[in-house]
Amino acid sequence: MISSHTVRICLLLSILFHHHKVLSQPHTLKVLFIGNSLTYTNDLPQIVQELAKYDGVQLQYTTFLYPNYSLEDHWKEGKVQRAIESQTFDFVVAQQGPSALPESQVLLTDYAIRLAEICKKNNVKMALYMVWPSLARSFDLENVIQSYTQAAQKINLLLCPAGLAWKYAWQLEPQLSLYGQDNFHPSLKGSLLASLTIYGTLARKTNFDFLPTDTATWIREINTHDFDTLKKAAMKALENK
């Protein structure tokens, strides 16, 4: 006959085992990326996924990323709406072009509002991924920052301030090569910096101390000094967006 004391011990051990099992399972985030080549260059969603892995988070993502697409193009195609309505996501990360010109700002806000309504109906949080202008139009950086910031504030969306982080990174290191060869699409450093602001926004990070310095996939191309600069710039942007 099993004593009541033994039963209580077995129950306690079972509870402790279950608690440990729950804690050991990584948290999962499901993210839908909407945008164009500024997102798919260097496979930015995969970089965000890698950042999450180092933070103990399992991030699963779906993408609708096509060359030269605006949010208007995505909306008119209809795939994004159907995906949001038929699948389960925690976040939608939406990106347009620089959107520095007044007419582009109107379109950014207009179609972000439409997407935000679909997200709200389906209990999905939406974030705008702020980008940057081409090198030839670098004078437009402040307008890009303002465009995305105002749209996010007007619609009450999360903001992934990559363009602002680029500004801060150049203040720290003016020669930092954030552009790729065409002086518009990002280099790996540019994509990593953008990814830091995206993951930092979605996961509400206050630091990047969880990231390794010797095992990441980018470590052969980005030295420790530049990596530290990217982290500082991303964190400053997250604090000041």
Side-chain angles (χ1 to χ4, degrees):
M1 181 176 180
I2 302 175
S3 68
S4 60
H5 178 68
T6 302
V7 171
R8 286 197 296 271
I9 292 176
C10 290
L11 286 173
L12 178 60
L13 289 173
S14 176
I15 292 171
L16 289 173
F17 175 77
H18 175 73
H19 182 65
H20 173 74
K21 184 177 181 181
V22 170
L23 289 178
S24 64
Q25 292 176 343
H27 179 53
T28 301
L29 288 179
K30 294 184 178 180
V31 182
L32 172 62
F33 288 92
I34 304 167
N36 53 43
S37 55
L38 292 177
T39 298
Y40 71 64
T41 296
N42 299 315
D43 200 353
L44 179 144
Q46 191 278 326
I47 299 176
V48 176
Q49 183 183 62
E50 183 176 359
L51 296 176
K53 180 188 71 174
Y54 293 128
D55 196 30
V57 175
Q58 184 179 24
L59 190 147
Q60 300 172 0
Y61 64 84
T62 302
T63 63
F64 289 102
L65 307 171
Y66 309 116
N68 303 314
Y69 260 50
S70 66
L71 294 185
E72 179 182 12
D73 294 323
H74 281 291
W75 180 264
K76 289 182 176 179
E77 193 170 60
K79 292 180 181 178
V80 168
Q81 299 94 301
R82 290 193 292 273
I84 295 171
E85 292 172 342
S86 63
Q87 301 179 47
T88 301
F89 297 106
D90 296 295
F91 296 98
V92 166
V93 177
Q95 168 262 316
Q96 191 165 267
S99 304
L101 300 176
E103 57 269 28
S104 299
Q105 293 176 18
V106 170
L107 288 173
L108 172 65
T109 301
D110 184 9
Y111 285 92
I113 288 173
R114 300 184 193 204
L115 286 169
E117 290 174 351
I118 295 290
C119 288
K120 185 176 181 179
K121 289 178 182 178
N122 291 275
N123 197 31
V124 182
K125 295 178 181 178
M126 181 173 163
L128 284 181
Y129 160 29
M130 174 200 297
V131 289
W132 49 85
S134 66
L135 179 61
R137 295 189 62 85
S138 57
F139 57 84
D140 261 339
L141 180 56
E142 290 297 337
N143 288 332
V144 175
I145 293 170
Q146 183 180 46
S147 177
Y148 275 84
T149 301
Q150 289 181 343
Q153 290 175 346
K154 181 176 181 178
I155 314 169
N156 194 27
L157 302 179
L158 297 172
L159 179 64
C160 306
L164 183 59
W166 278 42
K167 173 184 173 180
Y168 290 147
W170 280 323
Q171 288 178 352
L172 293 168
E173 290 288 343
Q175 302 305 315
L176 195 63
S177 55
L178 299 179
Y179 286 114
Q181 292 184 348
D182 66 355
N183 289 324
F184 179 44
H185 291 89
S187 64
L188 181 58
K189 292 176 185 177
S191 291
L192 177 56
L193 180 53
S195 297
L196 288 167
T197 68
I198 292 171
Y199 183 69
T201 297
L202 303 188
R204 299 182 179 180
K205 304 308 296 182
T206 57
N207 63 71
F208 294 112
D209 295 344
F210 60 91
L211 293 175
T213 58
D214 56 352
T215 59
T217 58
W218 58 77
I219 204 65
R220 291 185 179 180
E221 298 182 52
I222 302 176
N223 62 46
T224 302
H225 174 76
D226 286 349
F227 185 38
D228 286 341
T229 299
L230 298 180
K231 290 190 290 184
K232 289 176 182 177
M235 190 50 59
K236 185 175 180 181
L238 291 169
E239 292 170 350
N240 292 283
K241 61 184 178 179

